[in-house]
Amino acid sequence: MTLQIADRWFEFRRISDDITLIWEPHASRLMQCNIWHVRGRDRDLLIDTGFGVASLHEAARHLFDKPLSAVATHAHVDHVGSLHEFSDRIIHKAEAADIEVQGENFSLYRHDHPPEMIDSLERAGYQVGPTFITAIPHANFNMTLFTRKAAPATRTVDEGDVIDLGDRRFEVLHLPGHSAGSIGLWEAATATLFSGDAIYDGPLLDQLPGSDIPTYIRTMRRLESLPARVVHAGHDPSFDGRRLKELARAYLDRH
Ligand SMILES: [Zn+2]
Ligand SMILES: [Zn+2]
């Protein structure tokens, strides 16, 4: 199979004066993580960094005019691929070891992955195509030899820690279940939650290595009662507080 070379790898959408959404249109839906850039007075925040098959730092350099903290909501490859390109790297302590070292080879072909893993993703609601990307970022890109680079954390966080941008404060919510160290970033002043993969408006995954359903149930109870006005999630479109309650309730009803 020959994939086209993408014209550009990242797309940008200004959500408000100080929030920009960045995404990778040629990553398959499963692997298409939302990357959020938030402007602060003294420093900016980058929430997740995408797949890492192309340089996020280079593509988004027009946004990087201030000290920047890059936060990984968790260590899955579609969220931490470009983390190594940033000097200030934050992750929950439960997943710090995962990014300390280079990942194992991750082929971008479906047929190189265990059929049980693909089945479980499809049962959850994803259609997994023959490849995890639908175009290649540049000529000579090797689809079978792709590895997540090591990106050792420069700060680990846990429940209640604060990431301070000078005029905006984000509190770390530990939201395990999808993965052990999944976090959300909660800005109480604007009732905004950046939720990572703890919750999004799409097929939720709770059977991956590192997932835990009883733990996820506790996280969903917590999310159901969070007074959020807007949720910017790790995948799929943003939603409001009412939808947050619906999604959390739907998960709880299924379990
Ligand atoms: Zn994930
Ligand atoms: Zn994800």
Side-chain angles (χ1 to χ4, degrees), residues 10-110:
F10 295 95
E11 295 286 349
F12 298 80
R13 185 189 303 145
R14 192 95 174 263
I15 301 290
S16 64
D17 278 354
D18 38 17
I19 300 179
T20 302
L21 168 63
I22 310 167
W23 76 100
E24 299 166 286
H26 302 293
S28 68
R29 185 178 176 213
L30 171 70
M31 292 295 180
Q32 196 175 103
C33 133
N34 290 327
I35 301 163
W36 300 99
H37 180 264
V38 183
R39 285 199 180 285
R41 189 190 64 205
D42 302 337
R43 58 192 305 117
D44 294 345
L45 188 59
L46 188 67
I47 302 168
D48 289 328
T49 59
F51 212 164
V53 303
S55 171
L56 172 62
H57 193 276
E58 212 170 286
R61 61 180 344 131
H62 58 284
L63 292 173
F64 304 145
D65 52 6
K66 239 184 244 151
L68 180 77
S69 292
V71 179
T73 59
H74 61 305
H76 287 160
V77 63
D78 50 325
H79 296 256
V80 298
S82 283
L83 189 61
H84 67 96
E85 298 186 292
F86 301 91
S87 55
D88 191 40
R89 301 180 293 268
I90 303 174
I91 195 165
H92 187 269
K93 61 179 185 176
E95 292 184 24
D98 299 357
I99 56 170
E100 185 93 31
V101 290
Q102 178 174 298
E104 282 176 29
N105 188 62
F106 188 88
S107 166
L108 300 173
Y109 289 110
R110 168 195 179 124

Side-chain angles (χ1 to χ4, degrees), residues 154-165:
T154 56
R155 177 185 173 192
T156 59
V157 289
D158 198 359
E159 173 70 29
D161 286 343
V162 169
I163 298 170
D164 194 340
L165 307 184

